[in-house]
Amino acid sequence: MFITFEGLDGSGKSTQAELLRSRLEADGEDVVSTREPGGTELGEKIRDLVLHGGHVTPWAEALLYAAARAQHVDEVIAPALERGASVICDRYVDSSVAYQGVARGLGLERVLDLNLAAVGGLMPDRTFLLALDVVRLPERLRREPDRLERESGDFHARADAGYRELAARFPERIVVLDGALPAETIAEEVYGALRVRS
Ligand code: TYD
């Protein structure tokens, strides 16, 4: 099964990805846990260019994320799924659609199409979207912000709107969870939603 976590920075998605990984491993499952941008050598280089370099024009940003993702699917995600492992990925196609497609204004459809081409149509079986009040996010970021985190509150509000649009469009795949709840409560909901399905 292919599972992704999505949400704005500081929404707690990485914590949830980690909690789910240990829970599935405790159940005896073969789990591959990975993240975007990154997850491969090329992807980590791209991550550095996009997040810690100078100005990157919006289409270059969208194409770089898509390039990292194409490599990630080919090297890590598809082989793991083929051997029967569960893959947990912290961010995937929905991040690009929300951030580059909606927040940067490149267009939801165009960025979705670009990414579907990059990943050969491979979409998650389940996506958990941790939704949180945008005004509460800065207080949850504890370290130096990267290039995208330094964007204005409006940018993050638009990315949030993009995520909600995606959730409305793909209700079978995307489960929206209240990111303000305690981490253990959210983890129970995540695990429960996966058990119901299988
Ligand atoms: P993330 O890895 O979640 O941040 P961190 O390691 O700092 O917790 O993501 C880094 C940033 O990249 C985040 O602000 C969102 C952005 N991003 C996009 O804009 N598009 C994408 O396709 C992806 C994967 C990330």
Side-chain angles (χ1 to χ4, degrees):
M1 175 142 63
F2 181 22
I3 302 153
T4 59
F5 283 88
E6 294 283 356
L8 300 181
D9 294 299
S11 62
K13 64 186 170 42
S14 308
T15 305
Q16 290 303 322
E18 180 52 28
L19 288 171
L20 181 65
R21 182 188 65 77
S22 38
R23 188 124 189 211
L24 294 182
E25 279 181 356
D27 286 346
E29 280 195 41
D30 178 4
V31 184
V32 171
S33 179
T34 184
R35 67 164 190 178
E36 293 205 345
T40 64
E41 202 183 321
L42 177 66
E44 291 297 337
K45 286 186 183 146
I46 293 177
R47 179 190 183 90
D48 211 43
L49 283 175
V50 185
L51 296 179
H52 308 291
H55 173 70
V56 183
T57 203
W59 269 109
E61 187 177 89
L63 290 159
L64 285 168
Y65 280 120
R69 187 163 294 128
Q71 192 75 18
H72 194 205
V73 167
D74 187 69
E75 268 186 43
V76 180
I77 301 176
L81 292 172
E82 268 155 35
R83 71 160 201 264
S86 287
V87 175
I88 301 175
C89 192
D90 187 347
R91 296 194 181 281
Y92 191 62
V93 169
D94 298 312
S95 282
S96 281
V97 176
Y99 287 84
Q100 282 66 54
V102 179
R104 293 270 188 237
L106 298 180
L108 187 152
E109 289 311 325
R110 288 210 285 178
V111 173
L112 181 58
D113 286 349
L114 165 73
N115 276 275
L116 285 172
V119 302
L122 178 71
M123 288 301 276
D125 299 299
R126 258 302 139 101
T127 296
F128 294 99
L129 171 60
L130 295 176
L132 205 61
D133 199 346
V134 191
V135 294
R136 296 186 47 193
L137 285 167
E139 66 199 55
R140 292 173 61 125
L141 281 176
R142 286 170 302 271
R143 41 172 181 61
E144 267 303 283
D146 60 41
R147 197 177 59 81
L148 268 89
E149 287 162 356
R150 287 195 299 271
E151 287 285 345
S152 70
D154 274 8
F155 177 80
H156 296 286
R158 288 196 301 275
D160 183 56
Y163 271 133
R164 291 175 199 267
E165 207 172 325
L166 280 165
R169 178 148 166 190
F170 301 108
E172 311 272 278
R173 171 172 67 85
I174 303 181
V175 179
V176 185
L177 297 169
D178 179 359
L181 292 173
E184 303 73 44
T185 311
I186 301 174
E188 283 305 320
E189 288 185 14
V190 166
Y191 189 70
L194 293 175
R195 294 301 101 178
V196 166
R197 190 179 177 279
S198 51

